[in-house]
Amino acid sequence: MATTPGEKSSSGTKMFTGRPEKNQQLVEGAIVRIKMENFLTYDECELFPGPHLNMIVGANGTGKSSIVCAICLALAGKTSFIGRADKVGFYVKHGCQKGMVELELYKSSGNLVIRRDIQFANNQSTWYINGKSVSLKFVEEQVAALNIQVGNLCQFLPQDKVGEFAKLSKIELLEATEKSVGPPEMYRFHCDLKNCREKEKELETSCKNKVEYLEKMKQTNERHKQDVARYYERKRHLDKIEMLERKRPWVEYENERQQYEEVKQKRDVLKVELLKLKEQLIPMTHKIQQLEKQQKGIDGKIIQKGTEIKETSQKCKQKQDVLERKDKQIEEIQQSLRMRRDEELDRQKKIGNIRKMIEDWKNELRSLGSQENLQPELDSIDSELRHIQEEKANVENEMSDLRMEKDNLERDRKNKLNLIKQFENLMNLKEEKLRKRFADTYNAVVWLKENKDRFQHSVCQPIMLEINMKDQQHAKYVENHISMNDMRAFVFESKEDMDMFLREVRDKQRLRVNAVCSPQESFADKRPIRPISDLKQYGFFSYLRELFDAPHPVMNYLCFQYHVHEVPVGTQQTRSMIEKVIQETKLRQMFTAEEKYSMKVSAYTNKVISSNTSLRGAQFLTVTVDAEERRQVEEQIKDIQKLCSRVDSRFGELVERQKLLEKRDNELRLRKKEILDMKTKKRQLEQKISTRYDSLKQLEHDNNNLDVAEQQATATIKEISVQKAKLVTELTELIKRCTILSMEKVDLALQSTSVFSEKNRLESQYKEATSQHRVLENQFSTIEERKRNLLESCKELLKRAREKCNLGQNKEVPQDFQIAFQALPNALDEIDALLNEERSRESCFTGLNASVVDEYNKRNKELQDLTKELEQKQSELDNYRQNISQVKEKWLNPLKQLVEKINEQFSGFFRSMQCVGEVDLHTENEEEYDKYGIRIRVKFRSSTQLHELTQHHQSGGERSVSTMLYLMALQEINRCPFRVVDEINQGMDPVNERRVFEMVVKTACKENTSQYFFITPKLLQNLTYAEKMTILFVYNGPFMLEPRKWNLKAFHKRRKRVSAMDN
């Protein structure tokens, strides 16, 4: 047996596990090497699996399934198939930005190395084959060429997909089996058959529809023959209407052409008159131009004179501005002198007012008198106020403490009420379950709550409501031990109360209820014959009574009737050594983790006979309510209410005391304010008097020298007046010059007016002549436009007439049209009357058009085409049926042989386990190829019948065994290069696990079998191993070597040295 140790570390460990084997034993596509870097739990790991069975063993969480994930992702598998994470970036080790998986596959022409680099940040992957960058599609093609199907559960069964194998439908299982072990063309033939069958159905439907449509068209054509005859009668009237419509444009054209010739003659006469009038306008234009030139010269001189006048006026304005500034200076000096006079008067007035105010304040100060006797009273008030404040603070602190205490009590009371509500909700939940299952019992519970006072002793509700489990996981033991009739039974302490209750609810209300009477003797306090400590060696952890709480009458009844104080509860350990437990303990009843055992001694053979039943899941006792805890909470609520009442009473007393202190405080503060106001007023008066004395001294000191200011102002005004006289003389000269220039400008303006009048006279004459010319031009333009419109109309009418007759540009009217036109009227009115008559006759043939004949002819043609098409379809259908028959023979016969081989192996495996298993090809209709499927039927007990393998009928362990044996049956046929099965033995019992393991070893270690990966967290003891097995151990723990301390070569040297010493 080849065993290769392996290691795994969660931080920085580099590992190489296994040894490369010789490739001669490998099948095409088998895995030679697996390498992982920063992948899930691995920093760096490289392992070399063997060519046959590879057992990957390690504790949960060490990284076994990570190897399966690496195989799947390196072979372009989808993350959704693994079921661990939906994004590939999540497979990069935590804390790293990049991870890598590399797989080396055996090929006779040279091994194929596939590498996938995974980026955490963007969930992107980069692919390499033999070191060259390639696309994902190319990798998928290479993998498919080696017949590796990562998405096929028959070849690759990861841990999270084990349960889904049993969920596969028969059809899905057949497809997976065909892909996994069938010949390459088998699945293709199956797909071709399904496609051909769909096409056959389409052709059958098409032929049927075409036959029905052909018959319908024949009937329709017969009905439309008469309509065709009526159509031709209508067409004769339409032909005459068409000929009338062709002649009408020619008549319109002739009428329009005559009008055109008349308008053309009028236009020529107007053209001659326009030329004569234009010759008369030329001399007048020359005279007007000469006058315009003369006027421009005069206007230039006027502009020049205006400029000189403007310059002189600006100089005058400047002199006027200087004079105004001089006047303003005189006014400012006079205004300043007036302000000096007003200030002196105001100073004298203020001095008088201040002296009067000082005298008034001195009188008011004398009226206040002495205030020395007020200070003792003020000190007394301050002392009493401090005492009141201290007492108020004490009262407020005590009130604050009471409020806090009240808030805490209210919060505790609210929390306790919430607990009571939770208890009630849990109890309501239990009662709701009772109501849904046993409505009569629930109605009796409602009646009991309303009539408890009618009973002499306490009455317990149904046992299922009174029992409270200490751990909900143990509820299944109690429910499987106590019968359902007693679970819904009411428990009484006296028979009289029970009889009265049954008369009321059974006899009067007709409710189907159960009732029991608790025995008078106390059984609830009895101890078990053997303490539980003596039974712990067998895996027992408690007696049934210790797993739940119940009122004394209920517990008393259960101990009396069901001996719950003597029924122990065990674990899986108990189940594994059940025969020893039965022989040594002599127990009557006991529980293991999932089963109940009952033992009795045979009266004839004196042997112990045991029977076991699987435990049902708990239904009613999963909700628990602690009655003792609820009673304690209710007592605590009553205590809290008493404390709240005492707090409220004391708080009221403090409020009254606070009001009295507040009243006295206000009175003292009011008196203190009056005394302080008197002292403040005296101090303010003294301060005001002192301030006003200072102001009076300042005003008396500030004396203005008014006489000197008046002399200085007079001298300044005299000097400014001399300057004004000189400016007035210069302004007079400028005004004279401006007057002379204005007169010269007026003379030039008179000359310009004379020239302008003459020019206006000539322009008026020119305008009249021009107006007359314009009128003639308008008349000429109107007639020209009329001529042009008539010409266009004639062309349009001629074009329309030719179009009606389908004539080309230079073609003459055909002879047959001329003959037909001669037979028709020449006046438009007569043509229109005849058109109306023919149209009325044509309108009598309603509902007919050219489509009637076209459709009739089209249907005749379509009938012929449809008949040919129907013959072709029928021939195509016959060909399809023949092809289906040939492909079916190529597919079905090999498939039956394949299923028979699988059944032979599968049945043999089951027979070796003393069970029965069959695999057959199942279909309800041989022609429905998409309904074919593989049906697996198994029987694990001799007393049962064969049942189809489903996710509901068999247990988890039975499904695991069946799945494993089916995969082993496929292994015997061996077409895929390797298979992977992850932790499929988890749900098996030890016996089946051992049998399945031996079959796996025997099958996978044969010659010429494909590679096999079996992942498991644990192995049973004393299993059978083979030399061709390769076992890969995955280790993890706190005692792992540091990354750089592990040396594989040094380890092998030490191993050889130790072996040599042992020898």
Side-chain angles (χ1 to χ4, degrees):
M1 177 182 67
T3 62
T4 56
E7 283 192 300
K8 179 260 179 185
S9 172
S10 60
S11 60
T13 303
K14 180 176 181 180
M15 295 157 295
F16 299 90
T17 63
R19 284 287 185 181
E21 297 277 347
K22 292 184 178 180
N23 293 337
Q24 286 78 1
Q25 301 179 10
L26 292 171
V27 298
E28 195 85 0
I31 298 174
V32 178
R33 178 176 56 88
I34 304 169
K35 185 176 181 180
M36 297 166 283
E37 290 183 5
N38 297 330
F39 185 78
L40 290 175
T41 57
Y42 291 98
D43 288 332
E44 183 177 354
C45 180
E46 186 173 18
L47 57 116
F48 300 88
H52 298 290
L53 176 60
N54 290 275
M55 300 289 296
I56 301 178
V57 185
N60 289 328
T62 54
K64 303 182 304 301
S65 296
S66 299
I67 298 173
V68 178
C69 297
I71 295 173
C72 180
L73 295 181
L75 294 174
K78 307 298 182 184
T79 55
S80 58
F81 180 73
I82 302 173
R84 177 170 291 194
D86 57 344
K87 295 181 179 179
V88 71
F90 292 157
Y91 288 87
V92 178
K93 185 175 180 179
H94 181 68
C96 299
Q97 295 300 316
K98 178 181 177 182
M100 184 275 288
V101 289
E102 185 175 275
L103 218 63
E104 183 176 354
L105 303 178
Y106 173 71
K107 285 185 69 174
S108 57
S109 59
N111 288 0
L112 188 72
V113 180
I114 302 174
R115 173 175 170 173
R116 181 176 188 175
D117 290 346
I118 304 170
Q119 300 293 334
F120 170 76
N122 55 8
N123 290 298
Q124 297 295 320
S125 296
T126 307
W127 295 89
Y128 300 90
I129 290 185
N130 293 335
K132 295 182 180 180
S133 179
V134 296
S135 64
L136 172 61
K137 184 177 180 182
F138 184 78
V139 174
E140 291 174 342
E141 291 173 354
Q142 294 294 314
V143 171
L146 294 172
N147 197 34
I148 298 174
Q149 304 164 23
V150 179
N152 191 338
L153 293 181
C154 289
Q155 182 176 346
F156 200 93
L157 192 62
Q159 180 179 352
D160 295 329
K161 297 289 183 177
V162 171
E164 293 190 12
F165 188 88
K167 299 179 185 178
L168 290 177
S169 65
K170 295 187 286 290
I171 298 171
E172 293 171 335
L173 184 58
L174 173 60
E175 291 181 355
T177 303
E178 287 177 331
K179 294 176 183 177
S180 178
V181 297
E185 68 277 2
M186 178 175 288
Y187 180 70
R188 179 169 52 82
F189 284 155
H190 192 184
C191 294
D192 293 344
L193 281 173
K194 289 188 285 187
N195 295 334
C196 289
R197 177 54 183 162
E198 290 298 321
K199 187 65 177 178
E200 182 186 11
K201 290 180 181 178
E202 292 175 5
L203 288 172
E204 289 175 349
T205 305
S206 177
C207 290
K208 182 180 178 182
N209 293 338
K210 288 186 183 301
V211 169
E212 295 174 354
Y213 183 61
L214 187 63
E215 185 62 30
K216 187 176 180 181
M217 286 183 63
K218 288 180 180 178
Q219 296 174 1
T220 303
N221 244 20
E222 287 299 323
R223 291 196 301 269
H224 286 78
K225 276 187 178 180
Q226 187 176 359
D227 291 340
V228 172
R230 293 176 66 242
Y231 168 77
Y232 284 116
E233 178 68 21
R234 174 174 173 268
K235 190 173 184 305
R236 284 193 292 273
H237 292 289
L238 289 174
D239 290 343
K240 189 172 183 180
I241 291 171
E242 183 182 3
M243 194 57 67
L244 287 168
E245 290 176 345
R246 284 175 176 172
K247 183 174 182 180
R248 193 176 189 283
W250 289 103
V251 176
E252 290 178 341
Y253 165 72
E254 185 60 28
N255 294 339
E256 199 77 7
R257 191 185 64 78
Q258 292 176 4
Q259 292 181 24
Y260 171 75
E261 293 296 333
E262 295 173 359
V263 169
K264 185 178 180 183
Q265 292 177 2
K266 292 180 181 180
R267 176 238 184 209
D268 294 340
V269 173
L270 281 174
K271 187 174 183 181
V272 174
E273 293 179 0
L274 277 171
L275 290 173
K276 291 180 180 179
L277 187 59
K278 191 173 183 181
E279 292 175 355
Q280 297 174 2
L281 290 173
I282 294 173
M284 295 176 68
T285 303
H286 292 315
K287 182 64 176 176
I288 291 171
Q289 290 175 350
Q290 291 176 359
L291 290 173
E292 286 178 348
K293 184 176 181 181
Q294 185 180 356
Q295 188 177 11
K296 286 181 180 179
I298 295 171
D299 291 341
K301 293 178 180 180
I302 291 172
I303 292 170
Q304 184 180 359
K305 293 296 179 181
T307 304
E308 293 178 0
I309 291 170
K310 185 177 179 181
E311 291 174 352
T312 307
S313 298
Q314 288 178 350
K315 292 178 180 178
C316 291
K317 181 70 170 59
Q318 291 172 358
K319 297 297 182 182
Q320 289 176 348
D321 292 341
V322 174
L323 283 172
E324 288 176 358
R325 285 196 296 272
K326 295 299 181 181
D327 292 337
K328 190 173 181 181
Q329 288 177 3
I330 295 171
E331 180 64 29
E332 288 175 352
I333 293 169
Q334 292 174 347
Q335 178 67 24
S336 175
L337 187 59
R338 283 194 297 272
M339 289 176 64
R340 294 284 294 274
R341 290 169 182 163
D342 292 341
E343 287 176 358
E344 180 62 23
L345 291 174
D346 186 52
R347 187 178 70 84
Q348 295 295 333
K349 186 177 180 181
K350 284 183 178 179
I351 290 171
N353 289 336
I354 290 172
R355 286 173 177 168
K356 186 177 182 303
M357 289 172 64
I358 290 172
E359 188 63 31
D360 291 340
W361 285 341
K362 285 182 178 180
N363 294 333
E364 186 176 356
L365 187 59
R366 284 192 291 272
S367 66
L368 291 175
S370 177
Q371 297 180 352
E372 295 177 356
N373 58 346
L374 294 176
Q375 187 61 39
E377 183 182 358
L378 189 62
D379 295 339
S380 176
I381 290 172
D382 288 339
S383 177
E384 189 174 354
L385 282 172
R386 284 194 298 273
H387 178 71
I388 289 173
Q389 289 299 324
E390 290 174 359
E391 191 170 354
K392 283 174 66 178
N394 293 334
V395 171
E396 183 63 33
N397 289 336
E398 189 175 354
M399 290 175 69
S400 177
D401 293 341
L402 289 174
R403 288 192 194 97
M404 188 178 298
E405 184 178 357
K406 180 69 179 293
D407 292 342
N408 291 335
L409 290 172
E410 286 295 333
R411 187 161 49 250
D412 290 344
R413 179 174 172 273
K414 187 176 181 180
N415 292 336
K416 301 302 180 185
L417 290 175
N418 287 336
L419 283 176
I420 293 294
K421 188 175 181 180
Q422 291 176 10
F423 288 142
E424 291 175 352
N425 290 339
L426 291 173
M427 198 63 191
N428 291 338
L429 184 61
K430 294 176 72 173
E431 291 179 359
E432 180 63 19
K433 287 186 176 182
L434 178 66
R435 185 187 65 80
K436 291 180 179 179
R437 183 72 181 272
F438 306 108
D440 286 357
T441 305
Y442 173 78
N443 292 331
V445 169
V446 174
W447 180 89
L448 178 62
K449 289 180 180 179
E450 297 171 353
N451 298 274
K452 276 193 172 182
D453 55 339
R454 297 176 59 179
F455 299 95
Q456 298 177 1
H457 300 85
S458 63
V459 179
C460 296
Q461 295 183 15
I463 292 175
M464 67 173 63
L465 299 181
E466 297 289 358
I467 288 178
N468 287 302
M469 299 302 303
K470 295 179 180 178
D471 188 341
Q472 295 180 5
Q473 295 180 356
H474 301 149
K476 60 183 179 180
Y477 302 122
V478 179
E479 288 195 20
N480 281 272
H481 189 65
I482 303 172
S483 69
M484 189 52 63
N485 287 334
D486 279 351
M487 285 288 285
R488 59 191 180 95
F490 294 81
V491 181
F492 295 85
E493 290 186 305
S494 70
K495 193 170 185 309
E496 292 77 11
D497 287 345
M498 185 176 71
D499 293 340
M500 189 271 285
F501 174 78
L502 293 176
R503 283 196 301 271
E504 182 65 34
V505 297
R506 275 188 181 175
D507 301 340
K508 293 183 180 180
Q509 299 184 28
R510 301 294 182 183
L511 299 177
R512 292 178 295 176
V513 298
N514 294 340
V516 297
C517 188
S518 180
Q520 297 297 324
E521 184 182 352
S522 178
F523 288 88
D525 299 329
K526 284 189 174 183
R527 309 310 301 169
I529 298 173
R530 301 175 64 177
I532 193 63
S533 59
D534 294 348
L535 300 177
K536 285 187 176 181
Q537 59 178 318
Y538 304 109
F540 294 106
F541 61 89
S542 175
Y543 282 105
L544 199 59
R545 179 178 62 181
E546 313 306 327
L547 301 180
F548 65 91
D549 293 324
H552 184 271
V554 175
M555 187 64 79
N556 201 39
Y557 174 76
L558 294 177
C559 289
F560 167 74
Q561 184 68 27
Y562 289 97
H563 304 284
V564 293
H565 61 295
E566 294 180 344
V567 178
V569 180
T571 59
Q572 190 63 35
Q573 177 187 351
T574 311
R575 174 66 182 82
S576 64
M577 53 191 303
I578 190 65
E579 295 180 1
K580 180 179 178 182
V581 174
I582 294 172
Q583 294 297 328
E584 294 183 2
T585 60
K586 308 298 183 182
L587 294 170
R588 293 298 185 92
Q589 289 181 319
M590 60 181 171
F591 286 92
T592 63
E594 297 295 337
E595 293 176 317
K596 178 183 179 182
Y597 283 83
S598 299
M599 282 69 68
K600 63 180 180 178
V601 179
S602 173
Y604 301 99
T605 62
N606 203 28
K607 291 183 179 180
V608 177
I609 301 173
S610 64
S611 61
N612 66 311
T613 57
S614 297
L615 299 182
R616 305 184 308 275
Q619 299 179 14
F620 299 101
L621 301 182
T622 54
V623 179
T624 62
V625 179
D626 194 333
E628 179 61 25
E629 184 180 355
R630 177 171 180 171
R631 185 190 62 76
Q632 292 176 1
V633 172
E634 290 173 346
E635 290 295 329
Q636 290 171 0
I637 291 173
K638 292 178 182 178
D639 295 340
I640 290 170
Q641 290 173 343
K642 291 178 182 178
L643 289 174
C644 286
S645 299
R646 288 200 292 271
V647 170
D648 291 339
S649 176
R650 177 58 182 161
F651 193 81
E653 295 173 1
L654 292 174
V655 169
E656 293 299 325
R657 177 61 180 161
Q658 190 181 41
K659 290 179 180 178
L660 293 174
L661 292 172
E662 193 68 34
K663 181 179 179 183
R664 179 58 181 163
D665 183 78
N666 291 336
E667 292 172 353
L668 292 172
R669 290 183 184 279
L670 185 61
R671 176 58 185 159
K672 181 179 179 180
K673 186 176 182 300
E674 293 173 356
I675 295 171
L676 292 175
D677 288 346
M678 291 173 65
K679 294 180 72 175
T680 302
K681 188 173 184 181
K682 182 180 179 181
R683 187 168 57 255
Q684 290 175 348
L685 286 172
E686 291 173 348
Q687 187 177 359
K688 287 180 179 179
I689 291 170
S690 174
T691 303
R692 288 303 177 185
Y693 269 124
D694 294 338
S695 299
L696 182 60
K697 290 177 182 178
Q698 182 67 32
L699 287 171
E700 290 174 348
H701 181 268
D702 295 338
N703 184 16
N704 290 327
N705 194 349
L706 189 59
D707 295 336
V708 174
E710 288 179 350
Q711 291 175 3
Q712 291 176 352
T714 302
T716 305
I717 291 171
K718 188 175 181 179
E719 183 182 353
I720 293 173
S721 298
V722 172
Q723 296 174 359
K724 284 179 63 178
K726 184 179 179 181
L727 288 170
V728 169
T729 303
E730 294 175 355
L731 179 62
T732 303
E733 293 297 326
L734 289 172
I735 291 172
K736 288 180 181 179
R737 172 66 180 161
C738 189
T739 303
I740 294 170
L741 291 172
S742 297
M743 291 176 66
E744 292 176 354
K745 183 179 179 182
V746 169
D747 290 340
L748 290 171
L750 292 173
Q751 294 176 19
S752 176
T753 302
S754 175
V755 173
F756 183 73
S757 298
E758 179 65 19
K759 189 184 77 161
N760 284 344
R761 185 183 65 77
L762 288 173
E763 285 179 346
S764 177
Q765 294 176 0
Y766 180 81
K767 190 180 291 184
E768 289 177 0
T770 304
S771 176
Q772 185 179 359
H773 183 270
R774 189 180 299 113
V775 170
L776 289 175
E777 278 186 339
N778 290 337
Q779 291 178 357
F780 179 80
S781 298
T782 302
I783 290 181
E784 180 69 21
E785 181 68 22
R786 174 67 176 160
K787 170 180 165 288
R788 189 163 52 251
N789 290 338
L790 287 172
L791 180 60
E792 291 296 327
S793 178
C794 288
K795 290 180 180 179
E796 184 65 28
L797 289 172
L798 179 61
K799 180 180 179 182
R800 192 188 309 165
R802 286 183 172 279
E803 287 177 353
K804 279 290 184 180
C805 297
N806 296 324
L807 298 177
Q809 185 67 26
N810 299 317
K811 287 186 178 180
E812 296 293 333
V813 179
Q815 189 66 30
D816 55 340
F817 280 13
Q818 294 180 12
I819 296 171
F821 287 167
Q822 291 176 1
L824 297 175
N826 293 322
L828 284 175
D829 295 340
E830 294 176 358
I831 290 174
D832 291 340
L834 187 57
L835 268 172
N836 290 332
E837 180 181 351
E838 289 298 324
R839 285 171 179 163
S840 297
R841 290 179 179 179
E842 183 272 335
S843 64
C844 295
F845 298 93
T846 58
L848 296 176
N849 51 44
S851 63
V852 175
V853 178
D854 292 342
E855 288 178 3
Y856 181 80
N857 295 331
K858 183 179 178 181
R859 274 192 295 271
N860 279 334
K861 179 68 170 58
E862 193 173 350
L863 281 170
Q864 297 173 2
D865 295 341
L866 194 59
T867 302
K868 293 180 180 178
E869 186 178 353
L870 182 59
E871 292 174 355
Q872 292 175 356
K873 289 285 183 184
Q874 193 63 46
S875 175
E876 187 178 354
L877 178 60
D878 294 339
N879 292 335
Y880 257 101
R881 287 172 176 168
Q882 184 177 357
N883 291 337
I884 288 173
S885 178
Q886 294 173 355
V887 176
K888 179 181 178 181
E889 184 177 354
K890 295 178 182 178
W891 170 73
L892 190 56
N893 292 337
L895 177 60
K896 287 180 178 179
Q897 295 173 5
L898 177 65
V899 173
E900 185 60 35
K901 290 180 181 178
I902 296 172
N903 178 54
E904 182 179 348
Q905 296 294 333
F906 187 75
S907 301
F909 290 148
F910 262 83
R911 281 194 301 273
S912 67
M913 295 176 58
Q914 288 78 47
C915 300
V916 180
E918 291 183 359
V919 177
D920 61 358
L921 188 63
H922 178 267
T923 183
E924 296 178 357
N925 184 353
E926 288 191 0
E927 303 302 323
E928 299 296 332
Y929 303 105
D930 56 344
K931 298 295 190 297
Y932 275 79
I934 286 183
R935 180 174 60 180
I936 300 175
R937 295 190 299 166
V938 295
K939 181 175 74 169
F940 286 89
R941 299 172 188 83
S942 59
S943 58
T944 60
Q945 300 294 323
L946 276 171
H947 288 287
E948 187 174 343
L949 179 65
T950 65
Q951 59 176 326
H952 306 295
H953 195 277
Q954 287 80 16
S955 66
E958 291 171 348
R959 292 198 300 271
S960 296
V961 171
S962 302
T963 301
M964 194 66 188
L965 295 184
Y966 186 79
L967 295 178
M968 293 308 302
L970 299 184
Q971 180 76 7
E972 290 287 323
I973 299 173
N974 185 23
R975 197 176 74 84
C976 60
F978 66 86
R979 282 188 173 82
V980 178
V981 178
D982 190 359
E983 296 194 18
I984 198 171
N985 59 332
Q986 286 299 87
M988 300 182 189
D989 59 64
V991 176
N992 285 334
E993 184 177 354
R994 184 177 298 276
R995 291 173 176 171
V996 169
F997 182 85
E998 291 175 355
M999 293 179 193
V1000 170
V1001 172
K1002 181 180 178 182
T1003 305
C1005 292
K1006 290 181 178 180
E1007 292 293 335
N1008 300 323
T1009 57
S1010 60
Q1011 200 175 29
Y1012 204 96
F1013 290 87
F1014 188 88
I1015 294 88
T1016 178
K1018 47 90 178 178
L1019 289 173
L1020 297 176
Q1021 297 179 354
N1022 301 321
L1023 292 174
T1024 302
Y1025 296 92
E1027 289 294 332
K1028 294 183 179 181
M1029 288 176 60
T1030 300
I1031 300 180
L1032 302 172
F1033 292 100
V1034 182
Y1035 294 109
N1036 190 11
F1039 302 106
M1040 294 293 293
L1041 287 176
E1042 293 182 8
R1044 294 176 178 80
K1045 289 184 178 181
W1046 171 251
N1047 189 316
L1048 186 62
K1049 294 182 179 179
F1051 174 78
H1052 281 297
K1053 289 180 180 178
R1054 285 198 306 273
R1055 183 177 179 182
K1056 291 179 180 179
R1057 193 164 53 250
V1058 171
S1059 299
M1061 291 173 63
D1062 292 341
N1063 294 332

